């Protein structure tokens, strides 16, 4: 509007606008990006040079968004000196070899993972809350003239959550482990025990679902593909991935 409908810009006006744009770019983009580049570069050069297992560090650090993947667009855009880029490229040689397995004595010989009572209880309370909103809407529509659409919406809110409530309550009463991990393999309630030596492409993924994140364990084996949701289990992504690495490591190292 200033350019089209306002008065014609003088040379000094353009200099002022250009100066403001340049200052804004430097203060709010270049300097923060420079700080982020130098901090993440310093950390990754130190961390990957001192850690024993660079493969495990890479998995955890990428999930936490501590640094961009080597060779990616963001890695190329980072502001780094020639020496820093040479050091980072040199450290990539460590990824050609598997690190020595370091066991975690805090992890038992076998781990059973059950449904999370807290997570399921919160889901039931949420369902009851939504249902109560629908019941309240139906009550208010009965004592005050309302359109059919208001009654239908209230009816849907009152009844729809009960499918989730009943299904969640059944899981709450389930006392059987949904996942069992040991150095032999991985047991799931749906697929039974699958040995580690036939499992491949195993990962835990996160999918955004409206206002919450759904976590799913994926892996393949000669018998098929397993997709096991772990959102309602008493574990999380980092813990489960740590268990997988430790138990597979125990098998491979013979410990």
């Amino acid at each position: 509007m200033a350019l089209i409908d306002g008065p014609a810009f003088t040379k000094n006006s353009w200099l002022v606008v250009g100066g403001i744009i340049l200052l804004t770019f430097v203060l709010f983009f270049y300097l923060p990006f420079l700080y982020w580049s130098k901090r993440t570069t310093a950390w990754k050069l130190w961390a990957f040079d001192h850690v024993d297992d660079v493969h495990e560090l890479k998995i955890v650090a990428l999930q936490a968004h501590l640094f961009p993947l080597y060779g990616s667009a963001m890695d190329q855009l980072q502001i780094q000196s020639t020496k820093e880029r040479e050091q980072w490229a040199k450290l990539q040689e460590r990824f050609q070899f598997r690190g020595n397995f370091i066991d975690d004595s805090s992890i038992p010989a076998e781990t059973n993972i059950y449904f999370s009572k807290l997570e399921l209880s919160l889901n039931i309370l949420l369902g009851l809350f939504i249902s109560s909103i629908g019941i309240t809407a139906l009550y208010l529509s009965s004592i005050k003239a309302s359109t059919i659409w208001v009654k239908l919406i209230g009816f849907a809110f009152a009844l729809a959550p009960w499918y989730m409530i009943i299904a969640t309550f059944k899981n709450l009463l389930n006392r059987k482990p949904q996942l069992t991990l040991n150095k032999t393999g991985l047991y799931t309630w749906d697929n039974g025990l699958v040995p580690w030596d036939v499992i491949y492409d195993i990962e835990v993924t996160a999918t955004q679902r409206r206002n919450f994140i759904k976590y799913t364990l994926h892996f393949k084996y000669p018998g098929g593909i397993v997709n096991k949701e772990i959102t309602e289990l008493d574990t999380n992504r980092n813990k489960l991935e740590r268990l997988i690495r430790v138990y597979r490591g125990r098998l491979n190292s013979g410990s």
Side-chain angles (χ1 to χ4, degrees):
M1 291 175 62
L3 292 174
I4 297 175
D5 301 325
F9 270 29
T10 65
K11 181 179 180 180
N12 289 337
S13 299
W14 280 111
L15 289 175
V16 171
V17 171
I20 293 174
I21 293 174
L22 179 61
L23 181 63
T24 302
F25 172 81
V26 172
L27 290 178
F28 298 104
F29 178 77
Y30 177 76
L31 290 181
F33 188 75
L34 176 63
Y35 177 80
W36 172 79
S37 297
K38 292 302 181 182
R39 293 293 294 176
T40 56
T41 298
W43 176 84
K44 69 186 181 184
L45 291 178
W46 173 85
F48 284 94
D49 186 43
H50 289 79
V51 76
D52 292 318
D53 192 340
V54 294
H55 300 276
E56 182 173 348
L57 175 62
K58 177 182 176 182
I59 293 172
V60 177
L62 285 176
Q63 288 177 356
H65 305 288
L66 294 179
F67 74 100
L69 185 65
Y70 177 75
S72 64
M74 285 303 299
D75 183 48
Q76 298 297 323
L77 287 173
Q78 276 193 313
I79 302 173
Q80 300 172 339
S81 66
T82 303
K83 182 179 179 181
E84 288 171 336
R85 291 195 179 278
E86 290 176 350
Q87 288 179 304
W88 186 220
K90 181 69 174 177
L91 285 172
Q92 302 308 306
E93 297 177 1
R94 297 195 63 190
F95 288 94
Q96 299 176 12
F97 309 96
R98 293 301 307 180
N100 295 327
F101 170 68
I102 301 176
D103 201 354
D104 186 347
S105 58
S106 64
I107 296 179
E110 183 173 276
T111 300
N112 292 315
I113 299 175
Y114 302 86
F115 279 113
S116 171
K117 293 182 176 61
L118 175 61
E119 184 76 24
L120 295 179
S121 299
L122 291 176
N123 289 343
I124 291 175
L125 290 175
L126 176 62
L128 292 173
F129 174 72
I130 295 173
S131 181
S132 67
I133 293 176
I135 294 173
T136 302
L138 287 174
Y139 172 73
L140 293 176
S141 65
S142 66
I143 62 176
K144 185 178 180 179
S146 302
T147 64
I148 187 64
W149 288 109
V150 174
K151 294 180 180 180
L152 288 175
I153 292 174
F155 188 75
F157 268 73
L159 288 185
W162 280 97
Y163 175 80
M164 181 196 74
I165 292 173
I166 295 173
T168 305
F169 189 74
K170 289 181 179 179
N171 291 336
L172 187 62
L173 297 177
N174 191 329
R175 297 292 186 266
K176 297 180 180 179
Q178 300 303 299
L179 292 175
T180 298
L181 300 93
N182 53 42
K183 76 173 187 177
T184 301
L186 172 60
Y187 170 87
T188 65
W189 175 252
D190 304 309
N191 301 89
L193 179 65
V194 182
W196 290 121
D197 54 5
V198 300
I199 292 177
Y200 60 99
D201 291 345
I202 186 169
E203 62 176 345
V204 180
T205 61
T207 306
Q208 186 72 37
R209 291 291 183 86
R210 295 185 180 179
N211 296 326
F212 70 95
I213 298 177
K214 173 184 175 182
Y215 293 97
T216 308
L217 170 66
H218 302 277
F219 66 87
K220 301 176 183 177
Y221 68 104
I225 300 175
V226 174
N227 296 303
K228 175 67 175 179
E229 185 177 350
I230 66 167
T231 310
E232 295 183 342
L233 303 184
D234 59 351
T235 188
N236 58 44
R237 181 179 188 174
N238 291 336
K239 289 181 180 178
L240 182 56
E241 289 180 336
R242 178 63 179 167
L243 290 173
I244 292 171
R245 289 194 292 272
V246 168
Y247 285 120
R248 295 189 81 170
R250 287 176 181 176
L251 172 67
N252 296 331
S253 64
S255 58

